Amino acid sequence: MRKVLYAGTFDPITNGHMDMIERASKLCDVLLIGVMENKGKKPFFTSAERKNIIERSAAHLSNIEVITFDGLLADFVNVNQIEAVVRGLRATMDFEYELQMAHMNARLYNKDVETIFMMTSPQYSFVSSSIVKEVFSFNGDIEGLVPNAALEELKRKMKNQNEGGL
Amino acid sequence: MRKVLYAGTFDPITNGHMDMIERASKLCDVLLIGVMENKGKKPFFTSAERKNIIERSAAHLSNIEVITFDGLLADFVNVNQIEAVVRGLRATMDFEYELQMAHMNARLYNKDVETIFMMTSPQYSFVSSSIVKEVFSFNGDIEGLVPNAALEELKRKMKNQNEGGL
Amino acid sequence: MRKVLYAGTFDPITNGHMDMIERASKLCDVLLIGVMENKGKKPFFTSAERKNIIERSAAHLSNIEVITFDGLLADFVNVNQIEAVVRGLRATMDFEYELQMAHMNARLYNKDVETIFMMTSPQYSFVSSSIVKEVFSFNGDIEGLVPNAALEELKRKMKNQNEGGL
Amino acid sequence: MRKVLYAGTFDPITNGHMDMIERASKLCDVLLIGVMENKGKKPFFTSAERKNIIERSAAHLSNIEVITFDGLLADFVNVNQIEAVVRGLRATMDFEYELQMAHMNARLYNKDVETIFMMTSPQYSFVSSSIVKEVFSFNGDIEGLVPNAALEELKRKMKNQNEGGL
Amino acid sequence: MRKVLYAGTFDPITNGHMDMIERASKLCDVLLIGVMENKGKKPFFTSAERKNIIERSAAHLSNIEVITFDGLLADFVNVNQIEAVVRGLRATMDFEYELQMAHMNARLYNKDVETIFMMTSPQYSFVSSSIVKEVFSFNGDIEGLVPNAALEELKRKMKNQNEGGL
Amino acid sequence: MRKVLYAGTFDPITNGHMDMIERASKLCDVLLIGVMENKGKKPFFTSAERKNIIERSAAHLSNIEVITFDGLLADFVNVNQIEAVVRGLRATMDFEYELQMAHMNARLYNKDVETIFMMTSPQYSFVSSSIVKEVFSFNGDIEGLVPNAALEELKRKMKNQNEGGL
């Protein structure tokens, strides 16, 4: 595969996401990492911050490119000649949602764009951005669950908020 | 991806399998279709018959190769420099089994061999080799559920059996 | 069965719902289609608009009646001598929720009111009112996923909103 | 609905099945209870014994008829002008299997034959013919899990087997 | 086990929760019932009211203690020398969420703190605090689904709200 | 808890089972490990061999006792004054089966005997006795999936079988 997309909100990226990125990047020439704005969900980090965290965390990978985008995933896929969209599966709940989205997107994508899935490694099966943020907000230990850059930015931003900054 | 494996018993191949083969063949240079002997399960067709049915059904695809093999899937994968193994997902039951196998195989495969999944198209979500054989054994209509070559061979073999042949 | 209820928010009705209505209407003398106000969820269409879309979409069915109602489903069922409530099942997630609701409603319904389920046809298994609205809001193609009346009203209402109307 | 079929192996019928029969019989003019021979599975009771147990257990219901049949369910349905086939759902595992069968049967049934589902009452959600037989074979208490006629026949047949009869 | 925690929002406690408390209290010297403040979810009852309802409902149990707490569950567990945290499982959806939380908490808890699960009794498998409140808000019958103290407080608080009190 | 039972076929015991045993042994005074004969399933190891492997693998635990038994689990539980039966949960499929068995056993156990569950640690979520035996039979690597004693006995028994011994 030439050009593959891995899209998400990544608020922030976790080591489960990083595991997917490292594995998917070996299967294609270029892995686009698409940071969705997701304004409706009021993310903790801006999309620029999330993009920056990913770029620092994936600096050791030579064939990835991080971009931000808004709007319909299918439009982005079709305009950018994406060959396949890769998704991670952790549990049955993921599976059902992803099954629904894959069938919907099969209608919206250009002919021949494929959705492919990889199973999240067992040690990350319980990790999600939201559970990481919840634990961190109570000063719980998230060492090893997110890349260093994400941990640094969580600390910096949380400290700023507590001091009245942003 | 250069060399991808799609393995199964294919006893016989269904249109759900064919849908997977057509979609997967576009994502790689060569798609190996691995027919597992599976002697323990006493298949209806010999592995040679199953290979033949697939070759006739996939004659329109230029980058596939059908082979039969016995033994551990992981050994075949490692010896033949397979880059990824592709699997179809139909339902939650599939997912749970595939999740278990993918984690086990991650231990057995050479480093960097990946298992990737694609969702079966909705119109084939209820089709399996065993349900097709069961319906056919009662003279039920399976038109459109298997490729023509599979239908022909089912008719031929069932007729031979009833006449005391084979 | 004489009088059966198919209830929902129908914001808007999809072709998955229409498939259910056509199949359920054959099993009973009268199929009541109950449009729940659902003010808490802030629907896109008013209940009057939703009722109108359904009436236009189901004009070819002679034994249906579309009504709107608020309050507890069980009260409506009990007061209107409903014999059975019909529900669609698409996936495991639906099943778990419906199982919980069916057991709760068995307590609330008059004795002998039954909840019956039908499986959504595979081609509509990924369709829901919310995914349809999300795709449409990004100008994605929803042709074939909703009846014509729903598509027209989505276009009209979206246009009005963008022009500052409504 | 005029003529509805509830089919199964019923080896033997349980109180979970009886709950379904009582509820389904209220929704139609005639409820056919179809005892499938199922020779492949080597049932504990003959189909005649199973039919007899059901007839004794459902003697209080006036609109049921118990029959035995072999072959493809769809053939029986089509030949006997069945309007709907009713199935019980206990758990997610049931759901996935039933979803697959319902979609397959929708192809095999005459146009307009419908599969409808009802949720097993919570107190019977863990009851199955095979778990009942397993517990009984170890002299475990199954009082309240099967109708009296089934309990009597289990005792009689088990006694005969132990005495070398049958 | 000496000291076990059963934590939840209990807004209000249901008979499903009471069933868990009665069964769990037999397995340990002291069962702590931890009422989580959960300000983010805007509970119907204050945590003091919820604590009071539980104390009245569990007055017949001699080895329980009801407390309220805020913050990270793991911090509470670690500081209070809890030996095990007990959780109820009703359905597959519960299971998946609990699996994720149990793996996350295994990281956060002191070494040797264990999460243990018990299956909710079938007759309460469809009961949850939110479904109880929804049914009650429409004047539906919830007799037998919550303890008397919860029913009284629901009536009192609902009446106060309607009269402009509270 | 004083006396807890962890029962299974253990053909052979895996590191997933060992993880359960180590965690459960901390929650009670005595952990009985019950090796079920399971003659119907034709185990690879005799029950005496399976007991021996467990005893060698759990020699570092002071409060466990390994016994073999046949017949109904509930009879063993009731006769031996077991306070609770502990079970491991790996995935949704496990959950559904265990839910059914727990409800059935609640009927068969003495009053106050409880079934409690613990989640298998993520790194063992894909390990089962049968997958281990299948991989081993093809000379696949199972290092780290079973205790050393199990690995030794698998090698010894497999060698004996190939040499014509048993």
Side-chain angles (χ1 to χ4, degrees):
Chain A
M1 297 182 290
R2 284 176 303 279
K3 208 172 172 185
V4 170
L5 174 69
Y6 181 53
T9 307
F10 304 119
D11 185 39
I13 197 160
T14 68
N15 281 344
H17 297 133
M18 286 305 303
D19 173 56
M20 286 294 297
I21 289 171
E22 285 172 7
R23 290 157 60 198
S25 68
K26 290 175 186 148
L27 299 174
C28 56
D29 297 340
V30 178
L31 180 69
L32 267 188
I33 303 174
V35 179
M36 294 188 290
E37 294 276 3
N38 225 335
K39 280 165 189 159
K41 280 195 184 172
K42 294 185 187 157
F44 182 75
F45 290 108
T46 67
S47 59
E49 288 170 328
R50 288 177 268 148
K51 176 174 184 284
N52 173 269
I53 294 173
I54 299 172
E55 283 171 339
R56 286 156 59 192
S57 306
H60 59 297
L61 299 171
S62 59
N63 67 332
I64 67 138
E65 191 182 330
V66 190
I67 46 90
T68 62
F69 74 96
D70 208 351
L72 198 61
L73 177 65
D75 289 340
F76 182 87
V77 166
N78 292 340
V79 166
N80 290 276
Q81 274 101 40
I82 303 296
E83 208 170 343
V85 177
V86 65
R87 309 280 302 162
L89 289 175
R90 285 171 309 171
T92 306
M93 286 183 301
D94 283 7
F95 170 73
E96 292 249 319
Y97 173 77
E98 294 289 341
L99 182 66
Q100 188 186 28
M101 291 307 300
H103 289 333
M104 187 71 192
N105 279 329
R107 276 180 49 95
L108 298 173
Y109 289 161
N110 285 341
K111 199 173 155 305
D112 293 351
V113 178
E114 194 57 67
T115 306
I116 63 178
F117 298 88
M118 292 194 295
M119 302 292 187
T120 303
S121 298
Q123 69 267 35
Y124 300 122
S125 62
F126 60 92
V127 182
S128 69
S129 295
S130 52
I131 204 173
V132 158
K133 277 181 291 186
E134 190 189 338
V135 169
F136 186 78
S137 72
F138 289 114
N139 296 311
D141 173 23
I142 58 167
E143 188 86 36
L145 301 185
V146 294
N148 288 337
L151 190 52
E152 285 167 25
E153 294 306 312
L154 278 167
K155 284 178 182 164
R156 188 192 321 255
K157 190 141 187 172
M158 207 68 89
K159 187 157 166 284
N160 282 347
Q161 286 189 337
N162 292 342
E163 288 170 357
L166 170 70
Chain B
M1 298 184 290
R2 284 177 302 279
K3 207 170 171 183
V4 170
L5 175 69
Y6 180 54
T9 307
F10 303 118
D11 184 39
I13 198 160
T14 68
N15 281 344
H17 297 134
M18 287 305 302
D19 173 56
M20 286 293 299
I21 289 170
E22 284 171 10
R23 290 155 61 198
S25 68
K26 289 174 187 152
L27 299 174
C28 56
D29 298 340
V30 178
L31 181 69
L32 268 187
I33 302 174
V35 179
M36 293 189 290
E37 294 276 3
N38 226 337
K39 282 167 187 156
K41 280 196 185 169
K42 294 185 186 157
F44 183 75
F45 290 109
T46 67
S47 59
E49 288 170 329
R50 289 176 269 148
K51 177 174 183 284
N52 172 269
I53 294 172
I54 299 172
E55 283 171 338
R56 285 156 60 193
S57 306
H60 60 297
L61 299 172
S62 59
N63 67 332
I64 68 138
E65 191 181 331
V66 190
I67 45 94
T68 63
F69 74 95
D70 206 350
L72 198 61
L73 177 65
D75 288 339
F76 182 87
V77 165
N78 292 339
V79 166
N80 289 278
Q81 274 101 38
I82 303 296
E83 209 170 340
V85 177
V86 66
R87 309 281 302 161
L89 289 174
R90 284 171 309 171
T92 305
M93 285 183 301
D94 282 6
F95 171 73
E96 292 250 321
Y97 174 77
E98 295 289 341
L99 182 65
Q100 187 186 28
M101 291 308 298
H103 289 334
M104 186 71 191
N105 279 329
R107 275 181 50 96
L108 299 173
Y109 289 162
N110 285 340
K111 200 174 154 305
D112 293 352
V113 178
E114 195 56 69
T115 306
I116 62 178
F117 298 88
M118 293 194 294
M119 303 293 187
T120 303
S121 298
Q123 69 267 36
Y124 300 122
S125 62
F126 62 90
V127 182
S128 69
S129 295
S130 53
I131 204 173
V132 158
K133 277 181 292 187
E134 191 190 335
V135 169
F136 186 79
S137 73
F138 288 113
N139 296 313
D141 173 23
I142 58 167
E143 187 87 35
L145 301 186
V146 293
N148 288 338
L151 191 53
E152 286 167 24
E153 293 306 311
L154 277 167
K155 285 179 183 163
R156 188 193 319 256
K157 189 141 189 170
M158 205 68 89
K159 186 156 167 286
N160 281 346
Q161 286 190 339
N162 293 343
E163 289 169 358
L166 181 69
Chain C
M1 297 184 290
R2 284 176 302 278
K3 207 169 171 186
V4 170
L5 174 69
Y6 180 54
T9 307
F10 304 118
D11 186 36
I13 198 161
T14 68
N15 281 343
H17 296 133
M18 286 304 303
D19 172 55
M20 286 293 298
I21 289 171
E22 284 171 9
R23 291 157 58 198
S25 68
K26 290 174 186 149
L27 299 174
C28 56
D29 298 340
V30 178
L31 180 69
L32 268 188
I33 303 175
V35 179
M36 294 189 290
E37 294 276 4
N38 226 335
K39 280 165 187 160
K41 280 195 183 172
K42 293 183 186 160
F44 183 75
F45 290 109
T46 67
S47 59
E49 289 170 328
R50 289 177 268 148
K51 177 175 182 284
N52 172 269
I53 294 172
I54 298 172
E55 283 171 338
R56 286 156 60 192
S57 305
H60 59 297
L61 299 172
S62 59
N63 67 331
I64 68 138
E65 190 181 331
V66 190
I67 45 92
T68 63
F69 74 96
D70 208 350
L72 198 61
L73 177 64
D75 288 340
F76 182 87
V77 165
N78 292 340
V79 166
N80 290 276
Q81 274 102 38
I82 303 296
E83 207 171 343
V85 178
V86 65
R87 309 280 303 158
L89 289 174
R90 285 171 308 171
T92 305
M93 286 183 301
D94 281 7
F95 170 74
E96 293 250 321
Y97 174 76
E98 295 289 343
L99 181 65
Q100 188 187 27
M101 292 308 299
H103 290 332
M104 187 70 192
N105 279 330
R107 276 181 49 94
L108 298 173
Y109 289 162
N110 285 341
K111 200 175 156 306
D112 292 352
V113 178
E114 195 56 68
T115 306
I116 62 178
F117 299 87
M118 293 194 294
M119 303 292 187
T120 304
S121 298
Q123 69 268 34
Y124 301 121
S125 62
F126 62 91
V127 182
S128 69
S129 295
S130 52
I131 204 173
V132 157
K133 278 180 291 186
E134 191 189 337
V135 169
F136 186 78
S137 73
F138 288 114
N139 297 311
D141 173 23
I142 58 167
E143 187 86 35
L145 301 186
V146 293
N148 288 339
L151 191 53
E152 285 166 26
E153 293 306 311
L154 277 167
K155 284 179 183 163
R156 188 192 321 255
K157 190 142 189 170
M158 205 69 89
K159 188 157 165 286
N160 281 346
Q161 285 190 338
N162 293 342
E163 288 170 358
L166 184 68
Chain D
M1 297 183 291
R2 284 176 302 279
K3 207 171 172 185
V4 170
L5 174 70
Y6 180 53
T9 307
F10 303 118
D11 184 38
I13 197 160
T14 68
N15 281 344
H17 297 134
M18 286 305 303
D19 173 56
M20 286 294 298
I21 289 171
E22 285 171 9
R23 291 156 61 198
S25 68
K26 291 175 186 151
L27 299 175
C28 56
D29 298 340
V30 178
L31 180 70
L32 268 188
I33 302 175
V35 179
M36 294 189 290
E37 294 275 4
N38 226 336
K39 282 167 188 157
K41 281 195 184 172
K42 294 185 186 157
F44 182 74
F45 290 109
T46 67
S47 59
E49 288 170 327
R50 289 177 269 147
K51 177 174 183 286
N52 173 269
I53 294 171
I54 299 172
E55 282 171 338
R56 286 156 60 192
S57 306
H60 59 299
L61 298 172
S62 58
N63 67 332
I64 68 138
E65 191 182 330
V66 191
I67 45 91
T68 63
F69 74 96
D70 208 350
L72 198 61
L73 177 64
D75 289 340
F76 182 87
V77 166
N78 292 341
V79 166
N80 290 276
Q81 273 101 39
I82 303 297
E83 208 171 342
V85 178
V86 65
R87 309 280 303 160
L89 288 175
R90 285 171 310 170
T92 305
M93 286 183 301
D94 283 6
F95 170 73
E96 292 249 322
Y97 173 77
E98 294 289 341
L99 182 65
Q100 189 187 25
M101 291 308 299
H103 290 333
M104 187 70 193
N105 280 329
R107 277 180 50 96
L108 298 173
Y109 289 162
N110 285 340
K111 199 173 156 307
D112 292 352
V113 178
E114 195 57 66
T115 305
I116 63 178
F117 299 88
M118 292 194 294
M119 304 291 187
T120 303
S121 298
Q123 70 266 37
Y124 301 121
S125 62
F126 61 92
V127 182
S128 69
S129 295
S130 52
I131 204 172
V132 158
K133 277 180 292 186
E134 190 189 337
V135 169
F136 186 79
S137 72
F138 289 114
N139 296 310
D141 173 24
I142 59 167
E143 187 86 36
L145 301 186
V146 293
N148 287 339
L151 191 53
E152 285 167 24
E153 294 306 313
L154 277 167
K155 284 179 182 163
R156 187 192 320 256
K157 189 142 190 171
M158 204 69 87
K159 188 157 166 285
N160 281 346
Q161 286 190 339
N162 292 341
E163 288 170 357
L166 180 71
Chain E
M1 297 184 290
R2 285 177 301 278
K3 209 171 170 185
V4 170
L5 175 68
Y6 180 54
T9 306
F10 303 118
D11 185 37
I13 197 159
T14 68
N15 281 343
H17 297 133
M18 285 306 302
D19 172 57
M20 286 293 297
I21 288 170
E22 285 171 8
R23 290 157 60 198
S25 68
K26 290 174 186 151
L27 299 174
C28 56
D29 298 340
V30 178
L31 180 69
L32 268 188
I33 303 174
V35 179
M36 293 189 291
E37 294 276 3
N38 226 336
K39 281 167 188 156
K41 281 194 184 171
K42 292 184 188 159
F44 182 74
F45 289 109
T46 67
S47 59
E49 289 170 328
R50 288 177 269 148
K51 177 174 183 284
N52 173 268
I53 295 172
I54 298 173
E55 282 171 338
R56 285 155 60 191
S57 306
H60 60 297
L61 299 171
S62 59
N63 67 332
I64 67 136
E65 193 182 330
V66 190
I67 45 91
T68 62
F69 74 96
D70 207 350
L72 197 61
L73 177 65
D75 288 340
F76 182 88
V77 165
N78 293 340
V79 166
N80 290 276
Q81 274 100 40
I82 303 296
E83 210 171 339
V85 177
V86 65
R87 310 280 302 161
L89 289 175
R90 285 172 308 172
T92 305
M93 286 183 300
D94 282 6
F95 170 74
E96 292 250 321
Y97 174 76
E98 295 289 341
L99 182 65
Q100 188 187 28
M101 290 308 298
H103 289 334
M104 187 70 191
N105 279 329
R107 276 180 49 95
L108 299 172
Y109 289 162
N110 284 341
K111 200 173 154 306
D112 293 352
V113 178
E114 195 56 68
T115 305
I116 63 179
F117 299 88
M118 293 194 295
M119 303 293 187
T120 302
S121 297
Q123 69 268 36
Y124 301 122
S125 61
F126 61 91
V127 182
S128 69
S129 295
S130 53
I131 204 173
V132 158
K133 277 180 292 185
E134 191 189 336
V135 169
F136 186 79
S137 73
F138 288 114
N139 296 312
D141 173 23
I142 59 168
E143 187 85 34
L145 300 185
V146 293
N148 288 338
L151 190 53
E152 285 166 25
E153 293 306 312
L154 278 167
K155 285 177 183 165
R156 189 193 320 256
K157 191 143 188 170
M158 206 69 89
K159 187 156 167 285
N160 282 345
Q161 286 189 339
N162 293 342
E163 289 169 357
L166 181 72
Chain F
M1 297 183 292
R2 284 177 302 278
K3 209 171 170 185
V4 170
L5 174 69
Y6 180 54
T9 307
F10 304 119
D11 185 39
I13 197 160
T14 68
N15 281 343
H17 297 133
M18 287 305 302
D19 173 56
M20 286 294 297
I21 289 171
E22 285 171 7
R23 291 157 60 198
S25 68
K26 291 175 186 148
L27 299 174
C28 56
D29 299 339
V30 178
L31 180 70
L32 268 188
I33 303 175
V35 179
M36 294 188 290
E37 294 276 4
N38 226 336
K39 280 166 188 157
K41 280 194 185 172
K42 294 184 187 159
F44 183 74
F45 290 109
T46 67
S47 59
E49 288 170 329
R50 288 177 269 148
K51 178 175 182 285
N52 173 268
I53 294 172
I54 299 173
E55 282 171 339
R56 286 155 60 192
S57 305
H60 60 296
L61 298 172
S62 58
N63 67 332
I64 68 137
E65 193 183 329
V66 190
I67 44 92
T68 62
F69 74 97
D70 207 349
L72 198 59
L73 177 64
D75 289 338
F76 182 87
V77 165
N78 292 341
V79 166
N80 290 275
Q81 274 99 40
I82 303 296
E83 210 171 340
V85 178
V86 65
R87 309 280 302 160
L89 289 175
R90 286 171 309 172
T92 305
M93 287 183 300
D94 283 5
F95 170 75
E96 293 249 320
Y97 173 77
E98 295 289 341
L99 182 65
Q100 188 187 29
M101 291 308 299
H103 289 334
M104 187 69 192
N105 279 329
R107 276 181 50 95
L108 299 172
Y109 290 162
N110 285 340
K111 198 173 156 305
D112 293 352
V113 178
E114 195 56 69
T115 305
I116 62 178
F117 299 88
M118 293 194 294
M119 303 292 187
T120 303
S121 297
Q123 69 267 35
Y124 301 122
S125 61
F126 61 91
V127 182
S128 68
S129 295
S130 53
I131 204 173
V132 158
K133 277 180 292 187
E134 189 189 338
V135 168
F136 186 78
S137 72
F138 289 114
N139 296 312
D141 173 22
I142 59 168
E143 187 87 35
L145 300 185
V146 293
N148 287 338
L151 190 53
E152 286 166 25
E153 294 306 312
L154 278 167
K155 285 178 182 164
R156 189 192 321 255
K157 190 142 189 172
M158 205 69 88
K159 189 157 165 286
N160 282 347
Q161 286 190 338
N162 292 343
E163 287 170 359
L166 172 63

